[in-house]
Amino acid sequence: MPLKSSYSDQLKKTDQSLIALLSDRISLLAASEQPSLDEQLADVAPLLAQAGIPESVWATVVNSCHASLIPKSATNHVSSRQITIIGGRGRMGRLFKEQLSLVGHNVSVLEHEDWEYADKLLSQADLVLISVPIEYTVDVIKRAAKYLAPTTALCDITSVKTQPTQAMLEHHSGPVMGLHPMFGPNIKSFSGQKVVVCPGRNDESFQWLLDFLKSKGGELIVCTPEEHDQMMVVIQATQHFCRFSLGVFLAQVKVDVEQSLTMSTPNYRQEIDIVKRLFSQNPNLCVDIMLATEERCNAISFLANTYSRLAKLVARKDRDALIQEFENTQSFFEEKINVFIKPLNPTIQRDLKPQMHRNISI
């Protein structure tokens, strides 16, 4: 019993010290220009590794400190708006419905069986948010635009931006904007999450929506639809294909994943976790992301050819050629990436923001 009491006292003192340090950290952030969330994660990566602290724990601390700096007034005086989410019963649609409803907006849902009520659900809406599978997005935009008032803000949240944005601009005369939430529907809040913003027309009509995302701790990144789609070929499509392929391979060879994790490196465990999360999703979503555009299909084909070429070098045990490939790629990363960013750990490198993106200032 004395041991338990001693332990509790020690834990209490540690917690008190930690709370004081967190208070200092939040005060320092409030008193100066905040570094980006990526920078705050990258700067301490070696210390985390040395202390044996998972990066996810530190990421939670950083994101929570960031969210605590947002003035309460940002969400306490929300003017209630009428919002209709097309596809609002899907997982991402439900997430946005829940988050927008929590701050006082009146959110309705229109699904494929509800089009007989489209005039009522769409014509009076301040915002229509389209959250449907990629392959249906443009058709839904065309169909919905017939019911919209000229003042209604129209926005989509699909992972392809050029075609949907063009369709919205062509078929709707009012405010248009494309968003791409860079996260899945399983998150609990927008804190620390990135949302790509592609302005279209009358950006000021979306200011309240952007302010809402920022008030919840979201990080907004602005670019053109074309820039977005170009970068998503690498950030999304090829990454999905890599992990999709790895998952298929592990299943084919019937790897004992549980046993492999008992002797795994942190990087392997992390990769398995990412693959597991990929295969916990709806298969249509994963496949649609890979097949969304011709550019994505071509890039995946080129990647597969690269795999094949390197695999042939392995099969021939061509050590010199493999070393040459490694050194060529090593030079690329040293010349092209280290110019723009500090050395990052593997986790953060996968989330590297392209230089063309910039923090949104509107």
Side-chain angles (χ1 to χ4, degrees), residues 240 243-244 273-282 286:
H240 269 64
R243 288 152 185 167
F244 176 75
D273 181 60
I274 294 173
V275 171
K276 179 183 176 182
R277 283 189 276 120
L278 176 68
F279 282 93
S280 69
Q281 299 177 13
N282 185 317
C286 174

Side-chain angles (χ1 to χ4, degrees), residues 95 98-99 102 184-191 193:
L95 172 65
E98 291 168 1
Q99 294 294 320
L102 281 174
N186 294 328
I187 64 166
K188 301 302 181 184
S189 76
F190 294 136
S191 179
Q193 303 295 337

Side-chain angles (χ1 to χ4, degrees), residues 22 25-26 29 34-41 55-70 187 189-194 214-219 351:
L22 285 173
R25 189 180 199 281
I26 292 171
L29 287 173
Q34 294 185 41
S36 71
L37 298 181
D38 279 350
E39 288 174 329
Q40 295 180 58
L41 290 168
E55 293 172 5
S56 58
V57 172
W58 183 247
T60 299
V61 171
V62 171
N63 290 332
S64 298
C65 289
H66 173 78
S68 71
L69 294 171
I70 298 164
I187 64 166
S189 76
F190 294 136
S191 179
Q193 303 295 337
K194 297 179 182 180
K214 287 193 288 187
S215 76
K216 293 301 180 181
E219 181 181 359
D351 290 330

Side-chain angles (χ1 to χ4, degrees), residues 122-123 125-128 130 138 140-156 164-177 200-202 205-206:
L122 300 177
S123 63
D126 297 304
L127 170 69
V128 171
I130 297 177
V138 171
V140 168
I141 288 169
K142 294 177 181 178
R143 189 174 185 182
K146 302 173 184 178
Y147 300 94
L148 302 182
T151 55
T152 298
L154 179 62
C155 181
D156 83 298
T165 303
Q166 289 175 346
M168 289 189 290
L169 289 171
E170 179 180 350
H171 296 279
H172 178 48
S173 61
V176 165
M177 180 172 284
R201 181 192 299 127
N202 299 346
S205 298
F206 297 91

Side-chain angles (χ1 to χ4, degrees), residues 70-123:
I70 298 164
K72 292 182 179 179
S73 59
T75 56
N76 282 352
H77 304 289
V78 173
S79 298
S80 180
R81 287 175 168 80
Q82 183 65 45
I83 301 168
T84 295
I85 300 179
I86 302 179
R89 294 194 190 99
R91 295 176 68 192
M92 187 63 81
R94 288 202 307 269
L95 172 65
F96 272 82
K97 182 180 187 300
E98 291 168 1
Q99 294 294 320
L100 289 163
S101 297
L102 281 174
V103 296
H105 297 298
N106 184 10
V107 185
S108 302
V109 169
L110 189 155
E111 288 290 342
H112 59 85
E113 68 269 19
D114 301 322
W115 281 97
E116 61 182 296
Y117 310 109
D119 186 47
K120 177 181 178 181
L121 291 170
L122 300 177
S123 63

